[in-house]
C-alpha cells in the first residue's frame, strides 16, 4: 500500500484504489487522519489477491467524502480480529487537494547526504522552502539513510518521492516500498528507479508506459542513464537524477523537449516549471530551469516569520513572507493555525478554512503571489 513518499493524490469526493495488507476481517474500516481532522472514508470494495495460502495482500477502494479538507493524511485501516481491533497506519498515504492546475512547479533536490541529525534538519529546511514556494511535489534523488529522510519530511504537506543512492542502507524498501513505483497526479506520472544504472530497467518500463492518459512523465533516478529505447517508448519528458553530472550518452537521440536535470549542488533546489503535457516550453536546456540556493546557516532566502506562535492560541496573526530570490512564486502557500473563530485575511487569498475536530482551532490555508526580491505581510484577524 502507500508508504512514505508514495502518496495517493485525490480530490474531495473522489475514490482511489490501492494494494493493502489485510489484518483480519475482509472489509476494513478506514479513516484519513491529519493533526486536525479524522475523516471516515468509505470502503466500497475489498478483495484478497490469490498469491498463495499465507499471503495477506489485497486491493481496496476508498471513497473520500466531498467535505474533506485539503491536507496530507495518514490512512488508518482497522480490522476485527479474534483478539480485538487491529489498526494499521499508512503514514502520509493520501494527499487530498485540488486537481492539477494547467501550470505548476515540481521541486527537485539530490545528493543531500541525509545521514545524521544535522543533515536531517537541513533536509527539512530545504523541504520547507519548496513547500512555501508552492511546489506540487518534491523529488529527492540519491539519498542515504531512509530513517533520517522519513523523519525529516514527516511534517511535509506535499507528496515527496525519494530514491536510494550509492551510500544507502539495506533496509530502504521497508520505509519507501519497492525500488520502482509510480506516483500519479492527474496527467502527471512519476516513476522511481533507485538501482545502479547498469542493472535491469525492466521494472521501470511497464509503469512508465501503462497509463495512456499520462501526458507528462518523469523518471526519478539515482543515476539517469536509462536506455534510450525506454526513454523514447515511454515518452519520458524529464529524467531527474542526483549523482552524476555527466550527460546522457544518447542525449542527441532524446525526443524533442525531453530534459535530463539535477540540482547542481547539494544546497540547491531545481525549480522546474511544468504543464500537463511536458516541461514548460520555455525550457530548452538546464540553464533555463532556476536553481534556488538554500544555505545551511542563516535565514533561508525564502522564509516566513509569524508575529506570534502559529499554534492555535491566538486570534490575531501576521505572517511576513520574504523572497530574496530573483524569481516570482505566484502560488506560495502559508498555513495559519488560529483559535477557533471566523477570520478575514489581508494580503493574500484564502484557499480554505476549516475547524479542527476538537472545535478549538481554525486552520486557514492562504496563497500569496510573491514577486521577486520582495517582502509581503499577510494578516489574519
Amino acid at each position: 500500500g502507500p508508504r512514505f513518499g508514495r502518496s495517493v493524490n485525490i480530490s474531495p469526493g473522489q475514490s482511489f484504489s490501492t494494494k493493502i495488507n489485510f489484518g483480519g476481517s475482509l472489509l476494513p474500516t478506514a479513516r484519513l487522519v491529519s493533526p486536525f481532522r479524522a475523516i471516515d472514508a468509505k470502503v466500497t470494495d475489498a478483495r484478497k489477491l490469490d498469491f498463495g495460502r499465507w499471503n495477506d495482500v489485497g486491493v481496496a477502494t476508498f471513497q473520500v467524502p466531498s467535505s474533506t479538507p485539503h491536507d496530507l493524511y495518514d490512512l488508518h485501516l482497522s480490522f476485527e480480529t479474534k483478539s480485538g481491533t487491529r489498526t494499521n497506519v499508512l503514514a502520509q498515504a493520501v494527499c487530498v487537494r485540488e486537481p492539477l492546475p494547467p501550470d505548476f512547479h515540481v521541486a527537485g533536490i539530490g545528493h543531500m547526504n541525509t545521514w545524521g541529525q544535522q543533515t536531517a534538519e537541513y533536509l527539512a529546511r530545504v523541504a520547507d522552502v519548496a513547500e512555501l514556494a508552492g511546489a506540487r511535489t518534491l523529488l529527492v534523488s540519491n539519498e542515504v539513510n531512509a530513517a533520517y529522510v522519513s523523519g525529516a519530511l514527516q511534517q511535509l504537506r506535499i507528496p515527496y518521492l525519494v530514491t536510494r543512492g550509492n551510500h544507502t542502507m539495506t533496509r530502504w524498501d521497508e520505509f519507501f516500498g519497492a525500488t520502482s513505483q509510480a506516483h500519479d497526479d492527474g496527467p502527471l506520472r512519476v516513476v522511481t528507479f533507485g538501482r545502479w544504472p547498469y542493472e535491469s530497467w525492466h521494472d521501470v518500463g511497464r509503469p512508465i508506459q501503462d497509463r495512456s492518459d499520462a501526458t507528462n512523465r518523469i523518471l526519478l533516478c539515482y543515476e539517469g542513464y536509462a536506455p534510450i529505447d525506454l526513454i523514447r517508448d515511454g515518452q519520458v519528458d524529464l529524467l531527474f537524477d542526483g549523482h552524476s553530472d555527466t550527460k546522457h550518452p544518447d542525449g542527441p537521440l532524446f525526443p524533442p523537449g525531453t530534459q535530463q536535470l539535477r540540482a547542481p549542488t547539494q544546497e540547491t533546489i531545481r525549480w522546474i516549471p511544468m504543464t500537463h503535457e511536458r516541461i514548460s516550453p520555455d525550457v530548452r536546456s538546464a540553464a533555463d530551469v532556476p536553481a534556488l540556493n538554500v544555505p545551511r546557516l542563516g535565514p533561508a532566502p525564502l522564509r516566513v516569520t509569524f508575529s506570534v506562535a502559529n499554534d492555535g492560541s491566538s486570534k490575531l496573526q501576521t505572517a511576513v513572507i520574504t523572497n530574496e530570490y530573483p524569481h516570482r512564486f505566484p502560488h506560495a502557500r502559508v498555513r495559519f493555525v488560529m483559535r477557533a473563530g471566523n477570520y478575514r485575511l489581508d494580503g493574500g487569498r484564502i484557499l480554505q478554512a476549516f475547524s479542527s475536530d476538537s472545535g478549538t482551532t481554525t486552520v486557514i490555508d492562504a496563497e500569496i503571489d510573491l514577486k521577486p526580491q520582495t517582502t509581503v505581510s499577510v494578516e489574519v484577524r
Side-chain angles (χ1 to χ4, degrees), residues 305-326:
T305 57
F306 295 97
S307 58
V308 296
N310 193 36
D311 59 2
S313 60
S314 177
K315 289 186 177 181
L316 180 65
Q317 178 68 278
T318 300
V320 178
I321 305 126
T322 301
N323 177 22
E324 297 176 355
Y325 292 119

Side-chain angles (χ1 to χ4, degrees), residues 39-233:
I39 309 291
D40 291 326
K42 184 179 180 181
V43 183
T44 59
D45 182 57
R47 59 186 176 89
K48 285 189 176 181
L49 299 177
D50 189 10
F51 288 146
R53 182 178 179 183
W54 301 110
N55 201 304
D56 64 357
V57 175
V59 175
T61 301
F62 305 90
Q63 180 73 40
V64 176
S66 57
S67 59
T68 305
H70 294 177
D71 218 331
L72 190 58
Y73 293 87
D74 296 345
L75 177 60
H76 289 212
L77 300 179
S78 297
F79 302 86
E80 295 304 321
T81 70
K82 293 180 180 180
S83 57
T85 302
R86 170 186 171 185
T87 300
N88 296 339
V89 178
L90 302 176
Q92 295 176 291
V94 183
C95 182
V96 181
R97 57 182 175 179
E98 72 279 8
L100 188 72
D103 299 286
F104 59 98
H105 285 79
V106 297
I109 59 178
H111 218 302
M112 305 295 286
N113 291 337
T114 304
W115 59 269
Q117 180 70 22
Q118 184 182 35
T119 52
E121 290 175 358
Y122 176 67
L123 177 60
R125 172 186 176 94
V126 172
D128 286 345
V129 171
E131 184 175 79
L132 175 59
R136 185 75 178 188
T137 301
L138 177 63
L139 309 177
V140 188
S141 173
N142 187 33
E143 263 303 351
V144 177
N145 187 300
Y148 278 112
V149 172
S150 54
L153 301 180
Q154 65 178 337
Q155 300 300 324
L156 204 60
R157 297 196 308 275
I158 59 174
Y160 69 91
L161 294 96
V162 58
T163 70
R164 71 180 80 184
N166 55 319
H167 296 282
T168 189
M169 59 186 270
T170 57
R171 295 173 56 196
W172 190 267
D173 290 2
E174 295 183 25
F175 288 84
F176 293 103
T179 299
S180 295
Q181 290 196 13
H183 170 87
D184 290 312
D185 188 356
L188 175 69
R189 164 155 283 205
V190 186
V191 177
T192 59
F193 182 73
R195 295 193 296 273
W196 299 99
Y198 52 75
E199 296 186 57
S200 173
W201 291 73
H202 176 77
D203 290 345
V204 180
R206 181 175 179 179
I208 202 69
Q209 297 182 56
D210 68 357
R211 268 196 64 209
S212 58
D213 59 338
T215 52
N216 189 337
R217 303 170 193 241
I218 298 175
L219 192 51
L220 174 62
C221 317
Y222 149 63
E223 292 270 23
Y225 304 110
I228 186 61
D229 289 344
L230 172 62
I231 296 171
R232 295 169 68 93
D233 295 344

